[in-house]
Amino acid sequence: MQSSYFFFVHKMFNCGIFIQVCRRHLFLILCNMLKVPDHQVAGHWAGDGKLGPLIDDSGKFYKPIQSDGRGSKEVHFYKSVSSYTNIPNHIRRFFPIFHGTKLIEASDGSGQKPHLVLQNIVSGYLNPSIMDIKIGSRTWNPQASEDYIQKCFIKDRETSSLALGFRISGLQIESKGSGFWKPDRKHIRKYTAEEVRLVLRQFVSSNSSADSGVDLDCTFVSTVYGGSGGILAQLLELKEWFEHQTIFHFYSCSVLMVYEKESVAKEVSSGAEVKLVDFAHVVEGNGVIDHNFLGGLCSLINFISEILTCSDVHTAKASLQDPKHCSYTNCDTQN
Amino acid sequence: MQSSYFFFVHKMFNCGIFIQVCRRHLFLILCNMLKVPDHQVAGHWAGDGKLGPLIDDSGKFYKPIQSDGRGSKEVHFYKSVSSYTNIPNHIRRFFPIFHGTKLIEASDGSGQKPHLVLQNIVSGYLNPSIMDIKIGSRTWNPQASEDYIQKCFIKDRETSSLALGFRISGLQIESKGSGFWKPDRKHIRKYTAEEVRLVLRQFVSSNSSADSGVDLDCTFVSTVYGGSGGILAQLLELKEWFEHQTIFHFYSCSVLMVYEKESVAKEVSSGAEVKLVDFAHVVEGNGVIDHNFLGGLCSLINFISEILTCSDVHTAKASLQDPKHCSYTNCDTQN
């Protein structure tokens, strides 16, 4: 534990980011061996003395339990998942492992606060490319307060949620030799269908960057999105469950897609993972399927399927014409 | 034509409903051989001198083209369906056949008005049981006017649309020896999940009536909902198309389910039909699937699947215990 802490400090020095860590964080790190997550792409951020999640070196993720009811709802959800025996194991694996709750020193220095102790989904990756996609054209549930409904109603219309059935809430893509490309979160959640198509291709390209003019190579498309263990197969497994499950309605919940370019380049299997995160607005399904989440999930699936289909077209063409890029301009998206 | 008219008048006399037909309608009938539909369950009603659809004896349905833009949108939709070559034939059959537009005497006596000329879906049935289900938790499209959006937003929350992903807009069930049971439209669209389950079982029972205390026999459940040509199979065919089609978004569109008890009792095949109707709010899909319609459709499919599964359970039990009813109390709807 001690040695991994020194390795962490050493690494932070090397990355040149140590100077950005304020005294309060250093104090917290020294006291708890907890740190601000390296690869958080959405949600509250514990940097700059604010309240946010922390991680440790053993693969755990500590999420502050919000006091406005949302926190207790999320705790209730994780406990429910454990108690429902009729959730199959191949579905359970989509939820982060729940290790209970714990009082720990909050990241904003406000003293000991209750935290959810969860699996740190990205702890097994060194340089993960991550996309956080909030599913559903509607992020509010019918039992919510009128104020909250109106706030969400406006946001769903302003962002891509209403039009596409989902919005990208966070994103980081490893960019060869230049760390990570992390586009502005305010911008990505308003992406048009065309921009979503582009970023989903950037996500699986070895030459992705902020420059949208680059001819994307889509090197990892078939390994990461395709195949029996790829992201599409995992999303389809989830879809199958959502077509029947009437236990929960997952409002404002996200699908997280994670993989690592270096690992894919070395191995045949992508190691790409799909997880469900953020359950502060989950309500009981009362015998009705979650048609809102299912619709949005199917929309995301269709975007990814199209990219794979186009990729097949291009692979087939490659044997004749050897095109070096993946423009997708000839893809017929209407069927 | 003349003889069929006298047969119609004769039939109306026999049914004792002739006295309800006002002079204006008699005039229209005499002039055009058009009449007010016998089996309309939703939408504007041409009775009492109001503007509404008419039918003729050749199996055509004349729908007034509304002048507020909705009418022209529906005409545009029917023309588009004809022009899109990539809509497969097994999907085309879900749309009523389009025979163009025609100027005819309007049912409200306001003179000649343009009408859509469509297939009369129920012309082949003598005593059809019909359910009209408006699909989607949201009946408004993002491009609609703010006034219209607010009006629909309230209605979707007041009715079952938001909770279930659909609402029942109209219903008639043949009731043995007592004509049709036509529950109040204002009431049925607010049905709870439990009431929807009940009415979907009433729809396929030989002893359905307004009395919800009756032990439903669910006589027609496996023939009408089940089987390779049944309603569930047809809905699943539609669903498969909606998982990929990005041409149209079908706001405020209905699934119509029709069958005839007498025919089912005589034959093995149910002759049950699923149709899509009402396209005044269809907009272009622009490369995105209709996640709103798809989600609602999947919800309806799950309700019907559950009834079939329960029916299987009861059939299996019947061989041991011979229960005469279909209580479904033991059905586990959570999975």
Side-chain angles (χ1 to χ4, degrees):
Chain A
M1 202 66 170
Q2 204 64 14
S3 67
S4 65
Y5 168 65
F6 285 116
F7 171 75
F8 168 62
V9 172
H10 174 75
K11 197 178 144 211
M12 287 175 91
F13 261 109
N14 277 354
C15 296
I17 59 165
F18 190 73
I19 46 168
Q20 293 168 24
V21 179
C22 70
R23 278 185 198 164
R24 184 184 286 136
H25 284 145
L26 186 57
F27 169 75
L28 286 172
I29 290 163
L30 288 169
C31 290
N32 300 302
M33 303 297 287
L34 297 176
K35 56 191 175 188
V36 176
D38 308 306
H39 302 297
Q40 192 183 338
V41 297
H44 300 285
W45 171 247
D48 306 325
K50 288 180 186 159
L51 184 64
L54 297 167
I55 56 169
D56 66 15
D57 284 332
S58 75
K60 290 199 178 72
F61 183 88
Y62 300 82
K63 186 175 181 180
I65 297 173
Q66 288 161 299
S67 54
D68 57 359
R70 286 186 279 180
S72 58
K73 260 197 172 168
E74 190 153 24
V75 174
H76 176 72
F77 170 77
Y78 274 107
K79 288 182 176 170
S80 299
V81 169
S82 313
S83 70
Y84 272 105
T85 51
N86 51 359
I87 299 173
N89 285 337
H90 73 276
I91 295 301
R92 277 179 198 279
R93 73 184 168 99
F94 288 112
F95 302 110
I97 299 165
F98 174 55
H99 300 284
T101 60
K102 197 175 178 181
L103 273 177
I104 63 159
E105 202 72 31
S107 64
D108 61 354
S110 60
Q112 290 225 323
K113 289 271 167 71
H115 286 64
L116 274 162
V117 188
L118 303 169
Q119 169 195 11
N120 179 6
I121 294 163
V122 299
S123 66
Y125 300 90
L126 205 63
N127 295 305
S129 291
I130 309 170
M131 201 180 295
D132 180 305
I133 307 166
K134 201 184 276 285
I135 304 290
S137 66
R138 177 162 52 92
T139 55
W140 51 274
N141 77 72
Q143 291 87 48
S145 73
E146 206 52 43
D147 276 358
Y148 183 79
I149 288 175
Q150 286 306 323
K151 210 179 91 182
C152 292
F153 183 65
I154 292 167
K155 208 181 242 182
D156 294 343
R157 290 176 72 182
E158 282 174 354
T159 64
S160 73
S161 294
L162 196 75
L164 311 185
F166 61 84
R167 65 176 178 250
I168 301 177
S169 299
L171 172 67
Q172 73 172 29
I173 305 179
E174 196 204 344
S175 200
K176 222 173 188 173
S178 57
F180 291 99
W181 173 51
K182 269 194 178 191
D184 178 20
R185 279 158 59 178
K186 279 187 186 157
H187 179 57
I188 56 174
R189 61 192 191 186
K190 293 183 180 181
Y191 271 177
T192 61
E194 211 40 66
E195 286 171 317
V196 166
R197 265 178 212 113
L198 179 68
V199 86
L200 283 169
R201 299 199 312 262
Q202 284 175 306
F203 192 63
V204 289
S205 289
S206 74
N207 61 342
S208 47
S209 73
D211 179 7
S212 59
V214 170
D215 269 348
L216 297 167
D217 59 21
C218 294
T219 304
F220 308 118
V221 64
S222 58
T223 330
V224 172
Y225 289 150
S228 60
I231 281 175
L232 182 62
Q234 294 179 59
L235 292 176
L236 288 170
E237 246 183 301
L238 262 185
K239 171 182 167 253
E240 205 190 332
W241 185 60
F242 271 91
E243 282 173 348
H244 305 287
Q245 79 83 14
T246 61
I247 311 169
F248 303 115
H249 283 191
F250 293 83
Y251 294 103
S252 207
C253 166
S254 283
V255 153
L256 208 72
M257 312 192 307
V258 191
Y259 84 102
E260 192 157 43
K261 289 185 179 179
E262 212 180 330
S263 314
V264 181
K266 279 183 194 160
E267 295 170 42
V268 181
S269 159
S270 70
E273 275 189 294
V274 167
K275 292 279 179 189
L276 291 174
V277 295
D278 297 336
F279 308 107
H281 300 281
V282 171
V283 295
E284 288 187 5
N286 295 321
V288 180
I289 66 160
D290 188 350
H291 44 86
N292 176 60
F293 189 98
L294 177 60
L297 182 64
C298 288
S299 178
L300 174 64
I301 284 171
N302 198 58
F303 272 89
I304 293 178
S305 299
E306 275 176 12
I307 291 173
L308 270 165
T309 311
C310 292
S311 159
D312 290 347
V313 171
H314 280 270
T315 310
K317 278 185 181 169
S319 59
L320 294 170
Q321 301 164 15
D322 190 29
K324 288 277 182 283
H325 59 91
C326 173
S327 71
Y328 296 83
T329 45
N330 295 322
C331 286
D332 180 10
T333 56
Q334 291 184 334
N335 47 6
Chain B
M1 204 63 170
Q2 202 66 11
S3 67
S4 66
Y5 169 64
F6 284 116
F7 171 74
F8 168 62
V9 171
H10 174 73
K11 197 178 144 210
M12 286 173 93
F13 260 111
N14 278 354
C15 297
I17 58 165
F18 190 73
I19 47 168
Q20 293 168 26
V21 179
C22 71
R23 279 186 194 161
R24 184 185 285 134
H25 285 148
L26 185 59
F27 169 76
L28 284 172
I29 290 162
L30 289 169
C31 290
N32 300 301
M33 302 299 287
L34 297 177
K35 55 190 176 189
V36 176
D38 309 306
H39 302 297
Q40 193 181 337
V41 296
H44 300 285
W45 170 246
D48 307 325
K50 288 180 186 159
L51 184 64
L54 296 166
I55 56 168
D56 67 15
D57 285 332
S58 75
K60 291 199 178 72
F61 182 88
Y62 299 83
K63 186 175 180 179
I65 298 173
Q66 289 161 300
S67 54
D68 57 359
R70 286 187 279 182
S72 57
K73 259 198 172 167
E74 191 154 23
V75 174
H76 175 72
F77 170 77
Y78 275 107
K79 287 182 177 171
S80 296
V81 169
S82 313
S83 70
Y84 271 105
T85 52
N86 50 0
I87 299 174
N89 284 337
H90 73 276
I91 295 302
R92 277 179 198 279
R93 75 183 167 97
F94 288 110
F95 302 109
I97 299 164
F98 174 56
H99 299 285
T101 60
K102 197 175 178 182
L103 272 177
I104 62 159
E105 202 73 30
S107 64
D108 62 353
S110 60
Q112 291 226 322
K113 289 270 167 72
H115 285 63
L116 273 163
V117 187
L118 303 170
Q119 170 195 10
N120 178 6
I121 294 164
V122 298
S123 66
Y125 301 90
L126 205 62
N127 295 306
S129 291
I130 309 170
M131 201 180 296
D132 181 304
I133 308 167
K134 201 183 275 285
I135 305 290
S137 66
R138 177 162 52 91
T139 54
W140 51 275
N141 76 70
Q143 290 87 49
S145 73
E146 206 51 43
D147 276 358
Y148 182 78
I149 289 175
Q150 287 306 324
K151 209 178 92 183
C152 292
F153 183 65
I154 292 167
K155 208 182 242 183
D156 294 342
R157 290 177 71 182
E158 282 175 354
T159 64
S160 73
S161 295
L162 197 75
L164 311 186
F166 61 84
R167 65 176 178 250
I168 301 177
S169 299
L171 172 68
Q172 74 172 28
I173 305 179
E174 196 202 345
S175 199
K176 224 173 186 174
S178 58
F180 291 99
W181 174 51
K182 270 194 179 192
D184 178 19
R185 280 159 58 177
K186 278 187 188 160
H187 179 56
I188 56 173
R189 60 192 190 187
K190 292 182 182 181
Y191 271 177
T192 62
E194 211 39 66
E195 287 171 316
V196 165
R197 263 179 214 114
L198 178 68
V199 86
L200 283 170
R201 298 200 310 262
Q202 286 175 305
F203 192 64
V204 290
S205 289
S206 75
N207 61 342
S208 46
S209 73
D211 178 7
S212 59
V214 169
D215 269 348
L216 297 166
D217 59 18
C218 294
T219 304
F220 309 117
V221 64
S222 58
T223 330
V224 172
Y225 289 151
S228 61
I231 281 175
L232 182 63
Q234 293 179 59
L235 291 176
L236 287 170
E237 245 183 303
L238 260 185
K239 171 183 167 252
E240 204 190 333
W241 185 59
F242 271 91
E243 283 174 348
H244 304 289
Q245 79 83 15
T246 61
I247 311 170
F248 303 115
H249 283 192
F250 292 83
Y251 293 103
S252 207
C253 166
S254 283
V255 152
L256 208 72
M257 312 193 308
V258 192
Y259 84 102
E260 192 158 41
K261 289 185 180 179
E262 211 180 331
S263 314
V264 181
K266 280 182 194 161
E267 295 170 40
V268 181
S269 159
S270 70
E273 275 189 295
V274 167
K275 292 279 180 189
L276 292 174
V277 294
D278 296 335
F279 308 107
H281 300 280
V282 172
V283 296
E284 289 188 4
N286 294 321
V288 179
I289 66 159
D290 188 351
H291 44 88
N292 176 61
F293 189 99
L294 178 59
L297 182 64
C298 288
S299 179
L300 174 63
I301 284 171
N302 198 58
F303 273 89
I304 293 178
S305 299
E306 275 176 11
I307 291 173
L308 270 165
T309 310
C310 292
S311 159
D312 290 346
V313 171
H314 281 269
T315 309
K317 278 184 181 170
S319 58
L320 294 171
Q321 303 161 15
D322 190 28
K324 289 277 182 285
H325 59 93
C326 176
S327 72
Y328 297 82
T329 46
N330 295 323
C331 284
D332 178 13
T333 56
Q334 290 185 336
N335 48 5

